[in-house]
Amino acid sequence: MMASTSAASTFLQFHSLSSSQLFITKLPNNNNNNQISLSFSSSSKQTSNYNKRVYAKAVSTDSQKPLTQDKQNTPSSLSSKLVLVLGASGGVGQLVTASLLQRNIKSRLILRDLEKAKALFGEQDEERLQVFKGDTRKEGDLDPSIFEGVTHVICCTGTTAFPSRRWDDENTPERVDWVGVKNLISVLPSSVKRVVLVSSIGVTKCNELPWNIMNLFGVLKYKKMGEEFLQNSGFPYTIIRPGRLTDGPYTSYDLNTLLKATAGQRRAVLIGQDKLVGEASRIVVAEACIQALDLEVTENQIYEVSSVEGEGPGNDTQKWRELFEAARSS
């Protein structure tokens, strides 16, 4: 439980969203040779029927093994998916977006500050990356045209658990984790095949230590309300509940830096159902979100995710499928 109590000071440092106007860059593709350090090789796991934890192994990031192309993709063509990412300027969202770009999966972002997109991800061809200005906290700020053609959604918005300057301009847990998620889900088109929502470990334990400390200002309560709205929406969903987020980038204003991000030795992935306590590498969480987009086993499931020292599944879809399957609720 000690690892969990430290979450109070560094909980989910994500950005949210704001206003409504299309912004698209249109320049040649980024042909940077640096690969995202999310790929690994060998696999080893142990499964406990009691707590449904799974331990998987992977190699060091130093191997710089290229990411696997999307299964519908060839190296020279874009995937048929269009993934909407919310919270793309936050730590997990940055990694999600960079990884989608590396996989050649077309992405669309909603951000308050359009300049951040250029600073983070560089100049990208509009066929790869589209950026809209918008704010999920404001119901009338999400024009339906923003969502045209979207097939998948990854929502990793959030704010701090305790009052801070991040709460300025109504950037509170209630507005971001409840109102924002509700507004987003309410305007999604029927074409969406999966919604992946990043929530938090502890949302079901708000009255227990240390979670009741974390929830003093309602962050876990509002995240749970957002989860429940998604569950009742009728959209196929996957909810990822990470432990306290660790490893960079915390905020990295350079795509090359994002592509070099590593999780150090924290690559062993633990996936459970309402039993895990601990920390989670942002890189592991981002990869879990991307893997959950298409895996049938993850549909309408909730997973707790944490990571410890050791090897992990990297971007190997089969290994992630095995991890999710072992932790699937009945």
Side-chain angles (χ1 to χ4, degrees):
M1 298 297 278
M2 291 300 294
S4 299
T5 57
S6 63
S9 62
T10 53
F11 182 74
L12 294 181
Q13 299 183 25
F14 297 145
H15 290 269
S16 332
L17 315 172
S18 196
S19 161
S20 171
Q21 168 181 354
L22 177 61
F23 173 86
I24 297 178
T25 58
K26 187 176 183 180
L27 288 174
N29 291 353
N30 185 335
N31 293 319
N32 190 300
N33 292 323
N34 294 313
Q35 304 291 341
I36 299 175
S37 302
L38 293 171
S39 50
F40 315 92
S41 55
S42 62
S43 172
S44 174
K45 61 179 183 175
Q46 301 171 345
T47 305
S48 166
N49 292 327
Y50 174 72
N51 60 20
K52 294 186 178 179
R53 292 188 181 187
V54 178
Y55 297 77
K57 293 189 174 182
V59 301
S60 166
T61 54
D62 294 338
S63 64
Q64 292 291 309
K65 178 182 175 182
L67 280 166
T68 305
Q69 292 286 335
D70 183 76
K71 64 183 180 180
Q72 304 178 45
N73 209 17
T74 64
S76 60
S77 66
L78 284 169
S79 165
S80 61
K81 292 200 293 285
L82 173 54
V83 181
L84 178 70
V85 182
L86 298 102
S89 62
V92 173
Q94 292 178 45
L95 290 164
V96 166
T97 304
S99 188
L100 290 172
L101 286 170
Q102 189 72 15
R103 283 170 158 92
N104 235 12
I105 298 175
K106 187 174 182 178
S107 307
R108 183 176 293 171
L109 315 181
I110 300 178
L111 292 173
R112 292 179 188 172
D113 184 353
L114 298 179
E115 291 304 311
K116 279 189 177 179
K118 288 197 295 184
L120 282 167
F121 309 115
E123 304 288 356
Q124 301 291 335
D125 191 287
E126 66 182 63
E127 288 300 311
R128 302 180 70 217
L129 182 65
Q130 303 172 351
V131 184
F132 285 76
K133 188 175 182 181
D135 188 344
T136 59
R137 301 169 305 166
K138 301 175 182 178
E139 184 175 4
D141 201 51
L142 298 175
D143 191 294
S145 64
I146 296 176
F147 305 96
E148 291 178 0
V150 170
T151 60
H152 299 74
V153 177
I154 298 177
C155 180
C156 40
T157 56
T159 187
T160 56
F162 300 97
S164 70
R165 293 182 62 184
R166 294 275 306 282
W167 282 24
D168 291 349
D169 189 29
E170 294 190 294
N171 200 46
T172 62
E174 179 180 8
R175 299 297 299 174
V176 174
D177 295 308
W178 162 232
V179 175
V181 170
K182 175 173 65 74
N183 288 341
L184 169 67
I185 301 302
S186 298
V187 297
L188 291 179
S190 59
S191 60
V192 171
K193 299 177 181 178
R194 184 71 59 90
V195 179
V196 177
L197 174 66
V198 178
S199 181
S200 173
I201 283 178
V203 296
T204 60
K205 306 180 181 72
C206 294
N207 297 321
E208 304 173 18
L209 280 170
W211 312 112
N212 56 354
I213 297 174
M214 175 76 71
N215 194 48
L216 283 174
F217 295 90
V219 66
L220 298 180
K221 177 183 75 172
Y222 292 123
K223 284 185 178 293
K224 188 65 167 64
M225 289 171 65
E227 287 187 9
E228 291 171 349
F229 192 85
L230 173 57
Q231 288 176 278
N232 294 325
S233 69
F235 286 106
Y237 66 85
T238 306
I239 295 170
I240 303 293
R241 296 174 177 166
R244 186 180 74 88
L245 294 170
T246 64
D247 303 321
Y250 301 97
T251 300
S252 175
Y253 293 100
D254 176 67
L255 180 60
N256 293 338
T257 301
L258 288 172
L259 296 176
K260 296 176 184 177
T262 70
Q265 300 303 311
R266 300 179 59 83
R267 297 179 176 273
V269 177
L270 311 182
I271 298 182
Q273 294 281 349
D274 207 29
K275 293 184 180 295
L276 294 186
V277 175
E279 301 178 329
S281 164
R282 286 176 172 84
I283 292 175
V284 167
V285 175
E287 185 65 25
C289 291
I290 293 173
Q291 292 291 340
L293 290 176
D294 294 311
L295 289 175
E296 184 177 351
V297 69
T298 66
E299 183 172 326
N300 298 336
Q301 295 290 308
I302 300 175
Y303 298 103
E304 293 178 332
V305 176
S306 61
S307 54
V308 295
E309 289 190 7
E311 298 179 344
N315 66 346
D316 188 304
T317 296
Q318 179 57 35
K319 294 172 185 176
W320 278 101
R321 181 183 290 108
E322 293 170 0
L323 286 168
F324 285 127
E325 178 66 47
R328 183 186 172 104
S329 63
S330 57

